Amino acid sequence: METGPQEKRMIHYDLLRILAAFSVVMLHSAGQKWYVLPVTGREWQIADAWDALFRFGVPIFVMISGAIFLNRDSSIRRLYCHNILRLLVTYWIWSGLYGLYDCRNYDLEAAGWKVVAKEMLTGRYHLWFLPMIVAVYMLLPILRSWVKNAERKNLEYFLMLFLILKIGMSTVSALSASYLVEYATELLDAMEIGMACSYIGYFVYGYYIVRYGIPKKWHRAIYIGVIPCAALNILLDRYLSIRAGEPVGQIYDSYGVFTFVIVTALFLFFTDVMGKVSYSGPAARIIRELSEATLGVYVMHVGLLEILEERGIDTMLLPNIVGIPLMALGCYAACSLLAACLRRIPVLGRYLC
């Protein structure tokens, strides 16, 4: 059984996980009409602003995993049987369910089983996260051995490469279409820099902050930086999208520098400040329940949004400045409740959500 301090630590990770799950629901709610509304219109600009503000979810999920798993000793057998197998089965189950849902109006006799099988294997766009995190977990024994024995300056060197070659170049690429930027991007692609400077960067970054922290003198600047970074995400993407004549969104993706600052501030706040708060009683149980539902929320929310939209219930029923957050809150609550029920199904519940 875990000790009290460890339980307290896990509670603040639970809070961060809940926030990250809601952010994913929020950005997909904002994206309902993102591609069809004119970029010069007020409704699109509101939707894009909500989208830009809630892009921190996936990096936060990856950083939590890095902070926990790189600090924990476990065998390769347990890693594959306990963590990787569960995520792969969950991915296949929900890919299959989404695929079957897409085939409901098909003429199955004419389409044939190959079309149905392809739909079931393709699943949904948001499920990409599960095989991505599985790939990171497959490297976990190597990464754990490295970070455990690496000097601090070696970790900082790796994070510097991640910051320059991935965060920096992604931001420059989003802002500029010059020949030099295009050449640099092609060169980095040829070097396959993504093998090292991808979500593994966030994975190690989460571990680094928990183990070494960030100097206190930088905390206030990071927290204050959230506001201008959020504003720049919104304003720059509006400018870039109007210039392109279509939605862009690249400036505020997971590797945008302004999103990186927001992610850093949130992770730092929850690990440094919220981790010192004690939770007990009903509040702790509710937090833990919502945290355990986050995988279910992630895999189910897109399906619920689509089902509601097909029935005329979407973010435009009200002015979308309130319609988007209300849709996200309702969808998050419904998926959390459904996940809590599905998770309690014997054996199968573990793999559903």
Side-chain angles (χ1 to χ4, degrees):
M1 178 176 290
E2 296 175 333
T3 63
Q6 179 71 9
E7 290 173 2
K8 185 177 73 171
R9 174 192 170 202
M10 292 306 295
I11 287 289
H12 74 258
Y13 282 137
D14 288 338
L15 289 169
L16 193 51
R17 196 177 288 114
I18 292 165
L19 179 62
F22 178 74
S23 80
V24 173
V25 180
M26 187 69 178
L27 71 89
H28 287 145
S29 298
Q32 268 195 332
K33 304 295 181 182
W34 193 74
Y35 287 102
V36 298
L37 292 169
V39 295
T40 53
R42 182 172 179 272
E43 290 83 3
W44 181 86
Q45 291 174 4
I46 290 171
D48 190 59
W50 282 123
D51 197 350
L53 290 172
F54 284 87
R55 279 284 170 159
F56 53 81
V58 168
I60 288 291
F61 276 133
V62 177
M63 289 178 71
I64 293 170
S65 292
I68 292 173
F69 284 100
L70 289 174
N71 270 309
R72 177 188 295 170
D73 290 326
S74 63
S75 66
I76 293 178
R77 177 185 178 86
R78 176 174 171 78
L79 173 68
Y80 274 81
C81 295
H82 184 76
N83 301 108
I84 291 177
L85 178 63
R86 180 196 177 196
L87 290 174
L88 286 176
V89 173
T90 301
Y91 173 75
W92 288 323
I93 287 174
W94 285 99
S95 288
L97 291 174
Y98 278 113
L100 287 174
Y101 181 75
D102 287 343
C103 292
R104 67 193 185 284
N105 296 320
Y106 284 16
D107 180 347
L108 298 181
E109 222 174 276
W113 68 269
K114 288 185 178 180
V115 172
V116 177
K118 182 179 178 182
E119 290 284 356
M120 293 180 68
L121 291 173
T122 303
R124 265 305 176 281
Y125 62 91
H126 70 298
L127 296 179
W128 68 271
F129 175 80
L130 298 181
M132 181 277 290
I133 202 67
V134 163
V136 174
Y137 285 177
M138 289 171 70
L139 294 172
L140 184 57
I142 302 166
L143 292 172
R144 185 187 289 127
S145 177
W146 168 54
V147 300
K148 186 176 180 179
N149 296 290
E151 295 180 21
R152 180 173 180 172
K153 63 181 181 181
N154 290 330
L155 291 176
E156 290 171 348
Y157 172 71
F158 171 80
L159 292 173
M160 181 185 69
L161 291 179
F162 172 62
L163 185 59
I164 295 172
L165 298 178
K166 194 63 180 180
I167 303 295
M169 283 305 303
S170 293
T171 305
V172 171
S173 176
L175 290 172
S176 176
S178 70
Y179 171 74
L180 287 177
V181 172
E182 184 179 340
Y183 170 75
T185 302
E186 289 178 357
L187 180 61
L188 290 176
D189 287 343
M191 293 168 64
E192 297 193 28
I193 204 70
M195 288 190 296
C197 296
S198 59
Y199 280 104
I200 291 175
Y202 275 119
F203 195 73
V204 175
Y205 190 39
Y207 166 83
Y208 177 88
I209 289 179
V210 170
R211 179 172 178 181
Y212 294 111
I214 292 176
K216 289 286 184 181
K217 64 182 180 180
W218 293 106
H219 287 203
R220 179 175 294 183
I222 292 170
Y223 294 144
I224 294 173
V226 168
I227 295 175
C229 284
L232 285 167
N233 267 346
I234 295 169
L235 296 174
L236 285 173
D237 193 65
R238 181 181 301 177
Y239 165 74
L240 294 169
S241 297
I242 291 174
R243 186 179 71 176
E246 61 182 5
V248 178
Q250 184 182 355
I251 189 65
Y252 55 61
D253 73 5
S254 294
Y255 298 119
V257 67
F258 308 118
T259 299
F260 176 81
V261 173
I262 294 169
V263 167
T264 300
L266 287 172
F267 194 84
L268 186 62
F269 176 77
F270 276 86
T271 54
D272 184 61
V273 178
M274 299 303 289
K276 298 174 183 176
V277 179
S278 296
Y279 304 92
S280 60
R285 289 194 292 272
I286 291 171
I287 291 169
R288 183 57 59 92
E289 188 69 38
L290 289 173
S291 176
E292 290 178 351
T294 53
L295 179 58
V297 170
Y298 188 93
V299 296
M300 289 188 288
H301 76 277
V302 167
L304 180 56
L305 288 172
E306 291 178 358
I307 291 170
L308 291 174
E309 189 173 13
E310 288 173 1
R311 286 154 179 79
I313 304 172
D314 58 37
T315 56
M316 301 297 287
L317 280 178
L318 297 171
N320 67 344
I321 194 168
V322 295
I324 289 170
L326 286 176
M327 176 64 75
L329 283 168
C331 184
Y332 177 85
C335 289
S336 293
L337 182 60
L338 183 56
C341 297
L342 293 176
R343 199 172 62 251
R344 285 167 169 77
I345 298 174
V347 184
L348 182 61
R350 168 175 170 74
Y351 297 100
L352 282 172
C353 55

